[in-house]
Amino acid sequence: MNLLRPLLLIAIVVGSCFVSMNYAEHHTGKNSEAMSILYMHVVPAKLDFSGHGHGHDGHDHAHDAAADAGAHAEHATGVFGLPEALAPTNLQIFQIAAVLMILIAFSGVADHLRNGGGDKMTRILAGWVTWIRDEMIHPNLHGVDEKKFVPYFLYVFFFIVFQNLMGLVPGSATATASIWVTAAMALTTLLAMLGCGMVAQGPIAFWKNLVPHVPGWLWPLMFVVELVGLCVKPFALMIRLFANMTGGHMVVLSFMGLIFFFAGNDLTSMGYAVSPPAVGLSVFIMIIEGFVALLQAYIFTQLTIMFVGSSVHPEH
């Protein structure tokens, strides 16, 4: 098996974790704020490459109000000269990493599907591609030229998978645990539903066929209902992915937080006592989250395929 691609994938994950751990604003390195390192998994934190406010040497830089005010005024433009409101966060690091991992991991899959051959990783990923195409996309597009849709749906599936799985690595952040990330992905689903539907049926026919055959006096009310339903579908995708990825991490944080809670309240012996069960339960939840990471990617992609398919062919 060619080791170059696995090594590149590992390097991307390790590099992303390094940047997130060392350049995220709220990472202070203080023992009293050890939970902040775990909390980085579920909240976006702005990146700061200036070296201010991280407290790597253990001193209390972050809580000096005057220093904070001065640093804020000095670096109001944020990273890369961007306005502070548009400053990149640790979540963008892992989103970019997910895209790079897709490009590297699937670099030989297309040739394998056309000509055969390739290493073990290529054959495994090609099997996933074939399964998604044959079992998820083909049954829901009802005879449409599915080749036009396969790349997008494959990207959606593996983009979510890589983000979810990277969120399980210590020192990382789970981009899909941010409501803004899942909202953006749900918005692309809505745009795909509208765009593909209007291209396939025509702009006027799409909105006309949105309402089933009903009496004329009921048509306006049903149009409003169907319009709301059209928006609720991607909204449900947004909430489901966000809630599932956040919930698992919060359970782990709750178990690990017991250790820091007791140890930080002069109950050191109790902290030692709760450590084994807390760590054991956390590891158990993390194993379950590995399955949930794949399951949520499957659900999001499957429902996206069904929603786009129903927009292209409303009769089905």
Side-chain angles (χ1 to χ4, degrees), residues 150-175:
V150 168
Y152 172 70
F153 292 131
L154 288 175
Y155 165 77
V156 170
F157 180 82
F158 288 105
F159 185 58
I160 297 175
V161 165
F162 284 133
Q163 288 180 100
N164 291 351
L165 293 178
M166 277 192 292
L168 303 179
V169 179
S172 66
T174 308

Side-chain angles (χ1 to χ4, degrees), residues 17 20-21 37 40-41 90 94 165-174:
C17 293
S20 180
M21 287 287 293
I37 300 176
M40 289 171 67
H41 281 268
N90 55 346
F94 291 95
L165 293 178
M166 277 192 292
L168 303 179
V169 179
S172 66
T174 308

Side-chain angles (χ1 to χ4, degrees), residues 61 64-72:
H61 298 295
D64 188 334
D68 282 350
H72 180 78

